[in-house]
Amino acid sequence: MSKNTVKPALTPKPRKRSKREVENPEFDAFVRRILRAYARRVAVGDVEALQSLSQLSSEVDAVTRLAVAGLRKAPYSYSWSEIADRLGVSKQAAQMRYGDRTDRGALDRRLLQTGLGVSVATLVQVFADHHPGSPAASVCPGCGYRYPDGVCDCPTTATVRPLLRRRRHEDDDAVARLSPVQFADLLTTKSRSPRATAVRQAAFTALIPDRPASLFDLSGKDSAS
């Protein structure tokens, strides 16, 4: 074996490629381009991929929850008010949707705190925070409750809808803050699946466990106006 006669001092070391830091706005734009490209690929006839594409919304919700969890921890320790402000929702809605897993799908704290004394303004805000939207999302935007097939009510919405429908004339200004889609859904008396009825009944029991259910018309029917 021949002896290595190359002098290390005369042989330049290979340069290490500097790591390029990608700013979050650039990364955000990159992700959006990927999503649009994916949609275009599905649009040219790949109907089987449509389901996978639609399920990305659930993935976004899951990774947003991870991001929020990181922002809540030290050394950042952002408050729920600060996080809710960036998400464009109320503090309670942000906390219920992205907080501890045991809170997801639980009855909104604003209802538990006020009980029978809940105001129409609070009912309106809670209903708006938990409304599934149009088209309906796969999970509740207010608490993260995953809707079963054929159901677009989380326990909170199932509880609030009949109460707010009956009491809407008590505060016209508060009700006017609902979007047209939310208001139309509030007045809808379409029959709901047995699963939806069970969710509504269970939610009502959690709200007022020591009162008879006959206090309110849980069938969703309006009293004569």
Side-chain angles (χ1 to χ4, degrees):
M1 186 173 182
S2 61
K3 185 179 179 181
N4 185 2
T5 58
V6 177
K7 295 182 178 181
L10 300 178
T11 305
K13 293 182 179 180
R15 284 186 176 181
K16 289 184 178 180
R17 178 178 293 180
S18 59
K19 186 177 179 180
R20 179 174 178 267
E21 294 292 337
V22 178
E23 298 296 332
N24 281 341
E26 296 179 62
F27 200 81
D28 176 81
F30 169 72
V31 171
R32 291 173 186 272
R33 288 197 299 271
I34 291 293
L35 288 175
R36 287 194 292 267
Y38 188 13
R40 289 194 295 269
R41 292 172 68 91
V42 174
V44 293
D46 189 2
V47 69
E48 298 300 330
L50 188 60
Q51 181 179 11
S52 296
L53 177 62
S54 67
Q55 290 173 345
L56 287 177
S57 61
S58 298
E59 292 295 328
V60 171
D61 189 73
V63 297
T64 301
R65 189 170 289 111
L66 289 176
V68 169
L71 293 171
R72 290 277 299 155
K73 294 178 181 178
Y76 314 109
S77 302
Y78 283 98
S79 68
W80 282 114
S81 295
E82 292 172 306
I83 290 172
D85 181 62
R86 272 64 176 188
L87 294 173
V89 299
S90 69
K91 173 184 173 181
Q92 292 87 349
Q95 191 169 1
M96 291 198 69
R97 182 168 185 178
Y98 299 110
D100 187 84
R101 183 176 293 274
T102 58
D103 288 338
R104 295 172 205 166
L107 205 61
D108 194 292
R109 292 185 181 90
R110 289 167 287 185
L111 301 179
L112 295 174
Q113 291 167 354
T114 53
L116 288 175
V118 64
S119 68
V120 172
T122 297
L123 289 174
V124 166
Q125 188 61 58
V126 171
F127 184 74
D129 287 344
H130 291 262
H131 192 268
S134 181
S138 59
V139 297
C140 173
C143 63
Y145 175 82
R146 185 170 294 280
Y147 301 123
D149 291 341
V151 177
C152 289
D153 273 348
C154 69
T156 292
T157 308
T159 302
V160 169
R161 181 184 282 104
L163 301 182
L164 181 56
R165 185 188 297 127
R166 289 176 62 89
R167 297 182 55 192
R168 67 184 186 277
H169 298 304
E170 295 177 18
D171 192 340
D172 292 337
D173 291 338
V175 175
R177 292 197 289 270
L178 293 173
S179 71
V181 170
Q182 293 166 351
F183 184 72
D185 184 34
L186 174 66
L187 299 185
T188 298
T189 56
K190 60 185 178 183
S191 60
R192 297 181 177 273
S193 67
R195 175 60 184 267
T197 301
V199 168
R200 183 165 62 249
Q201 294 284 1
F204 181 82
T205 301
L207 174 61
I208 313 173
D210 58 340
R211 297 296 183 111
S214 60
L215 280 172
F216 298 95
D217 177 13
L218 294 183
S219 66
K221 294 180 181 179
D222 236 346
S223 58
S225 301

